[in-house]
Amino acid sequence: MLKRAFVAGVMALSPASASAEGVKLCHIANSGFLAEGRMSAVLFDAARLVDTYDGDYAMPSRGLVDDMIHGRGAFEHVTLALVSHNHNDHFDPVGTLKHLRGNKRVHYVMPPEAFEMLNHLTEDEAARVHVVLPDWDAGPVTNQFGDVTVEAYRVSHGEGGPQNIGYRVSLDGVRIFHTGDIAADKESLTRAGLRQTEADVMLMPFWYGLNNAEQNEAILSAWQVGTMVPMHFAPMEERWMQEYGGFDMLIKHVHDQWPNSRKVLGEMACESFSAN
């Protein structure tokens, strides 16, 4: 299998149709998002075709993924796709390979464990996959992809969990942080270089910090959050949600914890964000 280091790719840029108010953020499914700027667009944990979890986690519609794979419609200006870790609710090697083959301009960034799941890459496809795994104590690895700055941080998925990368993307001056699946404590986030790191938009699983004072303290120590966008909600009502009064009340409870939060939930639900 071809191995690639995390190096910047050179990509052609063309004007996009992002809102004049700033970067447009659109939900794909689960923890998948599209961030669209004036010149480029970036995907987070998005190209998923195969579901190995039997519907436990939200999947994008086949039509939407087909547009994504071929760079059509809302995905016309995607030049970069980021993968946080190799769990199927965030990463699908089948969808990723189809995306690399269907859109010759797109570059991927992912941890080694995800890369190892990609089979039968051509030299061109491998050249567009950039493998990153920051040391636990070394701070972020930073690279430039066209007009997009990517900082990759090691963020713990929990003991025994997979390699998980948190990404801070700077696009048109707006800083978006996507944590992947986070189960990190304050100390590990500090060691990873997250010390009051500025994030205009914070994409974080809804459960982290939910009724948990220690995790809330870790968030406030690691980041300066402009707007919180909770993610990773289940696709349907589940029994445990009755503790909060059901699905809708759970969402309300999560947002009530973060006064500056915004709801970006549902396939291609979009909001515009500016730098704080």
Side-chain angles (χ1 to χ4, degrees):
M1 181 176 289
L2 295 166
K3 299 288 184 181
R4 291 290 297 174
F6 184 50
V7 294
V10 178
M11 297 175 287
L13 303 175
S14 57
S17 57
S19 166
E21 296 178 12
V23 169
K24 183 168 71 173
L25 183 73
C26 300
H27 189 214
I28 304 298
N30 199 46
S31 296
F33 287 88
L34 167 71
E36 182 185 16
R38 292 188 300 271
M39 302 287 286
S40 301
V42 180
L43 288 168
F44 300 88
D45 288 355
R48 297 165 53 229
L49 274 172
V50 177
D51 178 14
T52 65
Y53 286 129
D54 297 325
D56 288 344
Y57 301 98
M59 290 288 293
S61 67
R62 287 300 179 111
L64 189 72
V65 178
D66 194 56
D67 284 346
M68 188 188 306
I69 286 169
H70 295 98
R72 296 191 299 249
F75 307 99
E76 180 181 0
H77 302 290
V78 170
T79 53
L80 184 63
L82 307 176
V83 174
S84 63
H85 63 288
N86 68 354
H87 283 172
N88 178 249
D89 53 330
H90 294 256
F91 170 68
D92 168 27
V94 174
T96 298
L97 188 57
K98 286 181 178 292
H99 193 199
L100 284 163
R101 292 177 177 172
N103 183 348
K104 302 296 185 182
R105 296 186 306 126
V106 72
H107 285 237
Y108 266 81
V109 181
M110 64 182 66
E113 289 177 346
F115 180 76
E116 291 166 2
M117 296 173 69
L118 289 175
N119 297 316
H120 309 299
L121 290 170
T122 66
E123 287 194 14
D124 170 72
E125 291 158 1
R128 290 184 282 120
V129 180
H130 311 279
V131 180
V132 58
L133 188 66
D135 292 337
W136 286 108
D137 301 315
V141 174
T142 304
N143 270 267
Q144 193 76 26
F145 292 83
D147 62 341
V148 182
T149 303
V150 179
E151 298 165 85
Y153 293 82
R154 195 75 178 268
V155 175
S156 176
H157 192 293
E159 185 176 355
Q163 299 162 347
N164 184 74
I165 308 299
Y167 296 103
R168 186 170 78 156
V169 168
S170 296
L171 179 61
D172 293 351
V174 179
R175 297 153 301 186
I176 303 170
F177 201 108
H178 187 289
T179 65
D181 278 354
I182 179 174
D185 58 22
K186 178 181 175 180
E187 180 183 355
S188 71
L189 293 173
T190 300
R191 292 203 322 269
L194 291 162
R195 306 178 185 92
Q196 288 290 287
T197 301
E198 295 179 330
D200 300 306
V201 183
M202 191 76 191
L203 302 173
M204 180 175 285
F206 74 90
W207 66 77
Y208 191 75
L210 184 64
N211 303 329
N212 188 312
E214 287 187 6
Q215 291 180 352
N216 276 296
E217 182 181 350
I219 294 169
L220 296 175
S221 172
W223 292 281
Q224 293 183 46
V225 177
T227 303
M228 181 69 76
V229 177
M231 63 180 186
H232 214 310
F233 288 100
M236 62 190 73
E237 186 95 18
E238 296 182 3
R239 180 174 296 179
W240 66 267
M241 297 177 187
Q242 292 306 314
E243 176 185 349
Y244 298 93
F247 183 72
D248 291 338
M249 291 304 295
L250 168 66
I251 293 173
K252 181 180 185 302
H253 181 80
V254 170
H255 282 277
D256 285 348
Q257 287 204 145
W258 301 102
N260 292 328
S261 66
R262 287 169 70 179
K263 181 180 175 182
V264 187
L265 180 62
E267 185 168 292
M268 294 311 289
C270 301
E271 294 283 341
S272 293
F273 294 87
S274 299
N276 292 315

